[in-house]
Amino acid sequence: MSVLGWNRYGKSRVRLVKVKRAGKAHEIVDLTIDVQLEGAFDAVYVDGDNGPCLATDTMKNTVYALARRDPIDHVEAFALRLAEYFITKPSVSRVKISVVEHPWSRVLADGATHQHAFVQTGAGDWTASVTHDARAAEIVSGVTNLVVLKTADSAFSGFPRDQYTTLVDTDERILATSMTVSWKYRPGTTDFSVRDAVRGTLIDTFASHMSLSVQHTLYAMGEAALAACVDITEITLTLPNRHHLLVDLQPFGLDNPNEVFVATDQPYGLIEATIRRGTA
């Protein structure tokens, strides 16, 4: 005998671009949105009864309709509005809205910013998610694909050695990563503009920290982000170590004073951690 376990369904990768035309200088909001619903949908799976099943096409249309009504000043607030709408639907007990925001900036033309021409920044995508149930909504912001690199102030030594260890100690290496970071807000938070300060703090700390390992720098960045924003309760960082290996040029009669590297994408070290506020 079979019994239906956990289940969820929704609409993925809803592409939304909104142009704000309030003045001569236009603004663009470029989003990819996932809508996911949980609830009393057993009959849909087990009996083929679509009575409780909100069509995923309706979910897509709802995104566009609410986007027309909402200014989308902050993507977190728009995601919350979507979650609040869907949680009222019959049979729905839990909603998760996930958003990736693709940043654009105005083109510089003739020494000034163009009013309606844009270029993608390529400096990471903003992310947001809202999980809403009968009790409350949890709001998470973040950034992904934020690629950073520094050529000094990074070391790695003093690690255990055994018969399979070939890595040598170093007090100067390239440190590069593509950061994925997410942070939770305390209940009642409404000012989501702090994300710019969090991102800036992460980058500044990465640059200035004397790194003894990727783990060491990860913790320093998380700690600094919590200090920069009192509304954040915890932050999770995922840092793949983009290895840059020193090329051996001795076969060609050349030295290599830490200048010529080969950048590798696989395999890579993967360092992840969550840093939370301590209790007094």
Side-chain angles (χ1 to χ4, degrees):
M1 182 177 179
S2 300
V3 177
L4 179 68
W6 175 86
N7 60 87
R8 180 173 69 187
Y9 82 105
K11 199 71 164 181
S12 291
R13 299 192 63 80
V14 179
R15 294 288 289 118
L16 167 64
V17 175
K18 181 169 184 176
V19 180
K20 299 182 180 181
R21 303 178 185 272
K24 291 183 178 180
H26 296 169
E27 296 181 30
I28 281 183
V29 179
D30 185 352
L31 308 177
T32 300
I33 300 172
D34 290 353
V35 179
Q36 298 169 312
L37 306 182
E38 298 177 42
F41 300 117
D42 291 30
V44 182
Y45 292 87
V46 177
D47 303 322
D49 177 3
N50 292 327
C53 185
L54 182 68
T56 64
D57 189 65
T58 302
M59 299 178 196
K60 175 202 68 179
N61 294 340
T62 302
V63 169
Y64 296 135
L66 295 189
R68 174 64 184 92
R69 299 174 182 174
D70 196 292
I72 316 185
D73 292 328
H74 299 293
V75 66
E76 294 87 352
F78 182 60
L80 179 60
R81 182 171 180 184
L82 287 169
E84 290 173 339
Y85 178 86
F86 286 115
I87 197 65
T88 65
K89 292 297 180 179
S91 303
V92 176
S93 61
R94 183 181 175 91
V95 178
K96 183 174 183 180
I97 306 294
S98 303
V99 186
V100 177
E101 181 178 358
H102 315 287
W104 294 80
S105 58
R106 288 192 179 87
V107 169
L108 284 174
D110 298 325
T113 55
H114 200 281
Q115 293 183 333
H116 55 263
F118 301 84
V119 60
Q120 283 196 321
T121 62
D125 293 331
W126 294 111
T127 61
S129 70
V130 174
T131 304
H132 201 317
D133 58 19
R135 296 171 298 174
E138 179 184 80
I139 303 175
V140 178
S141 293
V143 63
T144 189
N145 299 322
L146 181 58
V147 180
V148 291
L149 179 152
K150 66 179 182 179
T151 56
D153 293 340
S154 174
F156 188 56
S157 62
F159 47 88
R161 294 187 171 278
D162 62 20
Q163 66 270 34
Y164 302 119
T165 303
T166 58
L167 187 67
V168 298
D169 289 356
T170 180
D171 58 4
E172 198 71 279
R173 63 173 182 170
I174 289 178
L175 177 56
T177 187
S178 176
M179 288 193 279
T180 296
V181 187
S182 62
W183 52 90
K184 293 181 180 179
Y185 294 102
R186 64 174 178 81
T189 299
T190 57
D191 181 11
F192 302 110
S193 63
V194 297
R195 70 179 190 177
D196 294 304
V198 175
R199 180 183 180 277
T201 298
L202 291 170
I203 294 174
D204 290 348
T205 305
F206 174 86
S208 61
H209 185 246
M210 179 59 229
S211 177
L212 301 181
S213 65
V214 179
Q215 290 90 332
H216 188 215
T217 296
L218 181 153
Y219 185 82
M221 289 192 293
E223 189 176 40
L226 290 176
C229 180
V230 296
D231 288 331
I232 294 177
T233 60
E234 68 176 46
I235 184 168
T236 299
L237 299 95
T238 298
L239 304 185
N241 191 356
R242 291 191 165 188
H243 300 297
H244 289 65
L245 307 179
L246 197 67
V247 178
D248 181 7
L249 298 179
Q250 288 184 352
F252 317 121
L254 299 171
D255 66 352
N256 189 358
N258 226 23
E259 290 184 357
V260 181
F261 298 83
V262 56
T264 64
D265 56 2
Q266 295 182 25
Y268 57 85
L270 183 61
I271 292 83
E272 302 173 285
T274 297
I275 296 93
R276 300 185 177 93
R277 292 193 184 279
T279 56

